[in-house]
Amino acid sequence: MPPNTTATTGDTATTGVASSTTGRKKGRKARLLVLVLVLAIIGGIAYGSYWSISTVRASFPQTKGSITLDGLSGPVDVKRDGNGIPQVYASSDEDLFMAQGYVQAQDRFYEMDVRRHLTSGRLSEMFGKSQVKNDEFLRTLGWDRIAKQEYDTKLSASTKKYLQAYAKGVNAYLKGKDGAEISLEYAALGFTNDYKPVEWTPVDSVSWLKAMAWDLRGNMQDEIDRALMTSRLDPQQIADLYPEYPYSRNKPIVQEGQYSELSGTFQQSGAASGSQGTAGTTGSQGTTGTGTGTGTGTGTQSATGSALTSQLAGLYKVLDDVPAAVGVNGQGIGSNSWVVSGKYTITKKPLLANDPHLSASLPSVWYQMGLHCRSVSAKCQYDVSGYTFAGMPGVIIGHNADIAWGMTNSGVDVSDLYLEKLSGEGYLYDGKVRPFKTREETIEVAGGDAKKIVVRQTADGMPLLSDRDDELVQVGRRATVNTAAPDRGDGYGIALRWTALDPGTSMDAVFALDRAAGWSDFRSAAALFDVPSQNLIYADTKNHIGYTLPGKIPTRSSAADGSVPVPGWDAKYRWTGFVKDDELPYEYDPERGYIVTANQAVVDKDKYPYTLTGDWGYGTRSQRITDLIESKIKDGGKISTDDMRQMQMDNSSEIAKLLVPKLLKINLDDKSVRDAQKLLEGWDYTQDADSAAAAYFNAVWRNVLKLAFGNKLPRELRVKGQCLWVDKTDSTGPLDDDGKVRECGERDADQAQPDGGDRWFEVVRKLMDKPDSDWWKTPERGTRPAATDRDSLFARAMIDARWELTSKLGKDIDTWSWGRLHRLFLKNQTLGTGGPKALQYVLNRGPWKLSGGEATVNASGWNAAGGYNVVWVPSMRMVVNLADLDKSKWINLTGASGHAFSAHYTDQTGKWAKGELLPWAFSEGAVGKSTSDTLVLRP
């Protein structure tokens, strides 16, 4: 039975800095004047001076005329459209990528500089002592060290040449400029810090792929959460909260494809198929095997006892503070992509859609760009357009003249946490003490003294993460363990095994994708994309579609399934190898005529011999997309580019379809609550921004989750500031008259559980047929009645939701709307979150009232434990038309520019929020017609 808990405080919602939605030219002068006033306050009071409008404009890029750049072999044209999106034309590969570096630095160098300090663990050099802890952790991971090894030993000569050219272009932009001439943020930093940007290096670009891999690393958070749950929940309860993937209801990605060119296809007959738990084959780097299924891993947990639980509680706090590169520290990372064959499209050629779901950031993590050789030849090989990252050459997602591709996170489990038994100067492994490998790192701190740390690694390269927190070390020394674990000795630590800590070839993959001319080239390029493991979809102008799963994916023995941390002292828990490239799943021209990837299971668990993960997304979005496609093509229907766009904006709530019929049958005494209940009558389950029904339903859903599950989780998973009286488990905290202790949550609001995503959809779905389950029981609180079964808990949630929205939106339900609750704030990722309030006002934008929601196709995600504000979004949207590439469409979350008062800072956001797409010119003629400004870079 879930523990008896009583809530004592209200909810803590996420907050943001409100300011006007900008991008309109008519407001530009006013904003500049605000800036002058703000900086007069910030800088003038302290230094007796203030910044002028000319100072602000000094960092804006030159977009017309010509500029001479040393190192170019010929002229390069940079053509920008009305949204400031550049298309670059050159006559050699090196000139093309040098110009790309120059142009991205014009628009986004401050962002690039922060990113490289993040990846190298040098944020303290820019922002002072507040970032020392983060730098310690990032130095321990050693992303830049691995990137340097990749550059030196793994990458091809041509990739190195392109990276060098890109760096040359960035440095050509920096030459002779001081901070204020580069970006407003440097001028702001100058008041407290003498930091000055240094030259860009090729390794700075490679390192960014490690940051991306970290945020897309798989199920590490689930590993931690499951282990933390053991302090309060029993194995069956944990299993309830991590149900099996619903294969019979939500189809996996690969249904007709292959996993080996030698082994045959997936067939219902079972040919060439295996099951989780069966023996594997010999992999490319050792003997491979499979895990034991999804499960909760509680058998592994029993071997480590409270030592692991206490260590992970501290480890989470360290992880939570690490800045997210592209996601919410690994939580809520999803995406949609799908491709439809020409036999089902109006154009008679494929249509391909993609919208990766990432943290909302300002500027957007993506940078739109076209890279064009005037004449494609051996000397100049590229004609490609799409989305890339500022700071990295090439295009990550997009199309060239022959093919298009999209990406979604596969969720494959490529990381494991190990509890290590510390002993003297080493660690226990198979009954013997092994010495750690060590290195010393020096962290330079702006305005303070440098700090030295020692990084310890196991013999097989796993960094000891727990060294980064003194409290973790002490906890490890005090931790109690059961008889299955070694004695305490010097304590316990936590080490990380992660594929991205091995040098790889992902940078080679980017350029190979950009010049791929067909399916064979695409598959060869994908094989180089070792981390992060992504779902790659494909379409070409010859009317073929496909999918492939690339990545360096570990295999494990039957002792471990990757679901929870494992004992590091036992060799049977180490990885056994990696799945061979030709044994990874793919699909080409399936008979059904379309492929959907939206973080669902890649393959049916009974038709593949390797365990890829037990923590897939649960397929709510993917199945909805599939249903939308099927409804369009039935009876001979055809799909258009705009149909694809409309599918991206689908707001339908699948959990509402399940719950609302039950909610409408609940008898309620309070007229005010009944009035709110009536909002659900006739509701079509779409979560439009102006919908009062969507607002009320999501508030009910949030309260159902809180009552049934949230108040029963351990404090490490609950929201900071939410306190409960719980059964006494230790001597801390004041006791009430019933002998209970007051216990407060410890997790940030956008990371807490239950977050309300489609895992929780599946949890509730499975409990709907168990109306007397203990999960539905909760004690009375104040005037709120106790719940004794499912329907009484639903009644309680409807009451709580009514009064919560009364508090937030007012008593009159006619004024309610989902958009008033579900708002997007865009924050500059450094000074916009940690700078003075006045500077935050200058740099940040919002709010926008959004439609959509958690696990809808239009996935504007929110965390039900923490509040209704948007925490992750479709970071861009694109629809590629393979019949006429100039009729493709795209949009970014913000704009091309990272300069706060540029007209292109957030000029795409309003259209993005409405679901609009911009024209995407590709051919030289179409680009010429769309060009507003032309800059010529001359040698």
Side-chain angles (χ1 to χ4, degrees):
M1 178 176 178
N4 187 18
T5 56
T6 306
T8 60
T9 68
D11 301 324
T12 303
T14 55
T15 60
V17 179
S19 64
S20 63
T21 58
T22 63
R24 302 180 181 91
K25 291 183 178 179
K26 65 181 181 180
R28 182 175 176 184
K29 183 176 180 181
R31 292 193 301 275
L32 290 171
L33 292 175
V34 169
L35 175 64
V36 172
L37 292 173
V38 167
L39 296 178
I41 295 170
I42 296 173
I45 293 175
Y47 297 95
S49 63
Y50 63 92
W51 299 341
S52 66
I53 292 175
S54 61
T55 302
V56 174
R57 288 177 172 166
S59 61
F60 288 6
Q62 179 180 338
T63 60
K64 295 181 180 180
S66 65
I67 299 174
T68 300
L69 297 187
D70 291 339
L72 287 176
S73 63
V76 178
D77 296 328
V78 181
K79 300 181 178 183
R80 293 179 183 262
D81 67 10
N83 293 100
I85 300 170
Q87 304 281 342
V88 179
Y89 289 83
S91 299
S92 73
D93 291 340
E94 292 93 328
D95 283 357
L96 191 66
F97 294 117
M98 182 177 176
Q100 183 181 19
Y102 185 88
V103 171
Q104 287 191 344
Q106 280 187 306
D107 284 332
R108 300 275 194 97
F109 183 76
Y110 176 77
E111 175 193 5
M112 293 163 58
D113 200 14
V114 171
R115 283 180 175 177
R116 66 168 165 175
H117 281 78
L118 166 68
T119 57
S120 60
R122 296 189 294 120
L123 288 168
S124 300
E125 294 177 15
M126 295 185 76
F127 306 110
K129 62 182 180 180
S130 67
Q131 297 301 312
V132 169
K133 285 290 186 182
N134 287 333
D135 284 347
E136 290 179 3
F137 185 79
L138 294 164
R139 294 287 183 95
T140 300
L141 290 176
W143 291 342
D144 62 330
R145 296 178 65 256
I146 305 301
K148 179 69 163 59
Q149 292 177 40
E150 286 185 2
Y151 182 80
D152 290 341
T153 65
K154 290 287 187 178
L155 299 182
S156 68
S158 61
T159 293
K160 290 182 181 180
K161 180 173 64 176
Y162 301 154
L163 288 165
Q164 291 163 3
Y166 181 90
K168 188 188 300 183
V170 176
N171 294 328
Y173 169 75
L174 294 177
K175 186 176 181 180
K177 292 183 174 65
D178 62 24
E181 292 178 285
I182 298 171
S183 176
L184 163 65
E185 289 90 338
Y186 287 121
L189 281 176
F191 288 126
T192 58
N193 186 351
D194 60 359
Y195 171 81
K196 290 180 174 54
V198 299
E199 287 197 339
W200 192 264
T201 74
V203 174
D204 291 335
S205 296
V206 179
S207 295
W208 180 242
L209 285 172
K210 298 300 176 185
M212 186 175 76
W214 175 254
D215 283 350
L216 304 175
R217 63 192 177 272
N219 74 334
M220 185 188 295
Q221 192 60 62
D222 288 317
E223 284 189 50
I224 292 174
D225 286 358
R226 271 189 290 261
L228 292 173
M229 286 178 184
T230 60
S231 68
R232 179 145 295 165
L233 304 178
D234 63 37
Q236 182 55 53
Q237 291 166 344
I238 297 173
D240 289 345
L241 302 186
Y242 287 89
E244 290 279 345
Y245 183 89
Y247 290 97
S248 62
R249 188 175 68 254
N250 296 341
K251 296 179 178 66
I253 297 170
V254 176
Q255 300 167 44
E256 306 170 37
Q258 297 178 313
Y259 68 86
S260 171
E261 294 173 355
L262 303 177
S263 302
T265 61
F266 296 113
Q267 299 291 341
Q268 292 298 331
S269 64
S273 70
S275 62
Q276 293 177 318
T278 61
T281 61
T282 300
S284 58
Q285 301 188 39
T287 303
T288 64
T290 60
T292 56
T294 54
T296 63
T298 52
T300 301
Q301 170 65 13
S302 66
T304 60
S306 63
L308 183 57
T309 301
S310 56
Q311 282 283 13
L312 290 174
L315 175 60
Y316 177 81
K317 295 175 184 176
V318 177
L319 294 174
D320 191 41
D321 286 337
V322 176
V326 297
V328 191
N329 287 336
Q331 287 283 75
I333 302 297
S335 298
N336 300 321
S337 69
W338 66 95
V339 60
V340 180
S341 169
K343 68 179 179 179
Y344 291 130
T345 68
I346 290 174
T347 65
K348 298 183 180 180
K349 289 288 181 71
L351 294 171
L352 184 150
N354 194 190
D355 56 290
H357 306 156
L358 302 171
S359 290
S361 60
L362 182 60
S364 167
V365 69
W366 298 109
Y367 186 91
Q368 296 155 285
M369 197 169 203
L371 301 171
H372 308 278
C373 290
R374 293 190 178 95
S375 177
V376 176
S377 65
K379 180 182 178 183
C380 197
Q381 304 173 71
Y382 297 89
D383 188 16
V384 62
S385 184
Y387 297 84
T388 187
F389 301 122
M392 207 172 82
V395 167
I396 305 298
I397 295 174
H399 70 82
N400 59 32
D402 300 302
I403 75 166
W405 66 96
M407 294 186 188
T408 63
N409 191 27
S410 72
V412 169
D413 187 2
V414 295
S415 63
D416 281 332
L417 293 169
Y418 289 83
L419 182 68
E420 300 290 350
K421 168 66 177 68
L422 308 182
S423 180
E425 294 302 313
Y427 62 100
L428 187 67
Y429 185 75
D430 267 3
K432 298 180 181 179
V433 175
R434 289 185 172 185
F436 284 107
K437 296 179 180 178
T438 63
R439 70 177 187 272
E440 187 175 82
E441 298 272 355
T442 301
I443 298 171
E444 301 293 338
V445 182
D449 296 330
K451 182 175 182 179
K452 294 184 182 295
I453 63 169
V454 174
V455 176
R456 295 192 290 178
Q457 291 178 288
T458 63
D460 48 359
M462 295 194 298
L464 202 65
L465 302 185
S466 48
D467 278 355
R468 300 286 67 88
D469 191 284
D470 293 338
E471 182 181 353
L472 291 182
V473 176
Q474 295 302 318
V475 170
R477 288 174 180 165
R478 298 193 304 268
T480 57
V481 295
N482 62 24
T483 56
D487 61 34
R488 181 171 59 235
D490 292 332
Y492 293 86
I494 295 288
L496 171 67
R497 180 74 172 99
W498 178 37
T499 55
L501 296 182
D502 300 330
T505 56
S506 292
M507 198 69 237
D508 282 342
V510 172
F511 297 111
L513 284 172
D514 286 355
R515 60 177 181 264
W519 175 248
S520 179
D521 288 349
F522 175 77
R523 285 267 289 162
S524 297
L528 298 169
F529 210 101
D530 43 22
V531 291
S533 177
Q534 298 286 284
N535 296 311
L536 288 177
I537 60 166
Y538 167 92
D540 64 35
T541 56
K542 296 180 179 178
N543 212 6
H544 298 293
I545 65 173
Y547 161 86
T548 192
L549 175 70
K552 189 176 181 181
I553 299 172
T555 56
R556 300 168 176 87
S557 72
S558 60
D561 64 3
S563 64
V564 294
V566 293
W569 52 81
D570 192 336
K572 70 183 179 183
Y573 292 103
R574 286 302 200 262
W575 291 354
T576 57
F578 298 92
V579 180
K580 291 180 179 180
D581 289 337
D582 65 2
E583 293 181 326
L584 291 169
Y586 70 92
E587 194 165 67
Y588 185 61
D589 284 342
E591 181 63 29
R592 67 185 181 277
Y594 60 85
I595 302 170
V596 176
T597 85
N599 317 114
Q600 79 271 39
V602 171
V603 295
D604 192 303
K605 67 176 181 179
D606 294 326
K607 299 177 183 177
Y608 190 67
Y610 304 112
T611 299
L612 299 174
T613 186
D615 290 308
W616 304 113
Y618 280 78
T620 302
R621 281 180 288 109
S622 62
Q623 194 57 44
R624 176 62 178 172
I625 295 166
T626 296
D627 292 344
L628 290 170
I629 293 172
E630 290 283 355
S631 69
K632 282 286 185 181
I633 65 178
K634 71 179 181 180
D635 301 325
K638 302 291 185 179
I639 293 175
S640 69
T641 301
D642 196 60
D643 289 333
M644 300 284 274
R645 180 195 67 82
Q646 289 184 48
M647 291 180 196
Q648 289 179 325
M649 294 304 296
D650 182 78
N651 293 323
S652 177
S653 171
E654 297 304 299
I655 191 63
K657 294 175 185 177
L658 176 68
L659 294 188
V660 166
K662 299 289 186 184
L663 297 176
L664 288 174
K665 293 179 181 179
I666 302 294
N667 292 319
L668 299 164
D669 295 329
D670 190 311
K671 180 182 181 300
S672 294
V673 183
R674 290 200 308 271
D675 288 342
Q677 183 186 36
K678 290 178 182 177
L679 291 172
L680 305 178
E681 295 178 357
W683 179 42
D684 63 359
Y685 311 120
T686 59
Q687 300 170 99
D688 296 329
D690 61 358
S691 171
Y696 182 59
F697 172 76
N698 282 314
V700 173
W701 170 238
R702 180 176 186 239
N703 281 278
V704 166
L705 292 171
K706 180 182 177 182
L707 293 168
F709 311 106
N711 290 346
K712 298 161 188 173
L713 296 176
R715 65 179 181 270
E716 294 90 353
L717 276 69
R718 299 200 315 271
V719 177
K720 289 177 183 176
Q722 288 185 358
C723 300
L724 310 171
W725 290 99
V726 303
D727 293 329
K728 183 176 182 296
T729 56
D730 55 39
S731 59
T732 62
L735 299 179
D736 70 356
D737 294 339
D738 296 323
K740 293 183 180 293
V741 63
R742 189 169 186 265
E743 181 188 84
C744 298
E746 298 178 354
R747 190 165 286 190
D748 285 346
D750 63 1
Q751 297 283 289
Q753 293 294 336
D755 61 21
D758 66 354
R759 173 164 69 87
W760 294 100
F761 289 15
E762 195 65 20
V763 170
V764 171
R765 184 185 297 276
K766 287 184 175 297
L767 289 172
M768 289 296 285
D769 294 331
K770 301 176 182 178
D772 296 319
S773 167
D774 288 339
W775 287 112
W776 300 124
K777 298 174 183 178
T778 190
E780 65 178 290
R781 177 169 69 92
T783 61
R784 302 289 196 268
T788 57
D789 57 17
R790 182 195 66 199
D791 288 353
S792 59
L793 185 137
F794 283 0
R796 166 91 173 261
M798 295 174 78
I799 294 167
D800 288 355
R802 173 45 159 126
W803 300 118
E804 180 188 3
L805 294 198
T806 298
S807 173
K808 294 180 182 296
L809 302 180
K811 186 176 180 180
D812 185 357
I813 62 175
D814 291 336
T815 67
W816 290 1
S817 70
W818 176 225
R820 288 180 61 197
L821 286 173
H822 191 54
R823 300 177 299 168
L824 170 67
F825 294 88
L826 291 175
K827 294 186 177 182
N828 178 288
Q829 293 301 289
T830 57
L831 300 179
T833 58
K837 292 295 184 182
L839 191 56
Q840 291 184 33
Y841 180 86
V842 169
L843 296 174
N844 298 338
R845 301 290 183 268
W848 285 266
K849 298 176 181 179
L850 296 190
S851 58
E854 192 75 16
T856 63
V857 182
N858 180 21
S860 52
W862 56 287
N863 186 299
Y868 301 97
N869 279 344
V870 176
V871 296
W872 52 275
V873 296
S875 55
M876 62 80 159
R877 297 187 185 101
M878 73 176 195
V879 178
V880 183
N881 183 334
L882 276 298
D884 185 345
L885 293 167
D886 287 330
K887 292 182 179 178
S888 301
K889 304 285 185 178
W890 63 351
I891 201 156
N892 207 351
L893 172 63
T894 59
S897 180
H899 299 287
F901 290 91
S902 165
H904 305 306
Y905 191 47
T906 56
D907 59 332
Q908 296 185 50
T909 309
K911 291 182 173 64
W912 170 92
K914 295 175 183 177
E916 298 176 17
L917 297 175
L918 300 174
W920 183 358
F922 178 69
S923 70
E924 188 170 5
V927 168
K929 291 178 181 177
S930 68
T931 297
S932 295
D933 294 346
T934 299
L935 174 68
V936 180
L937 305 177
R938 301 188 183 280

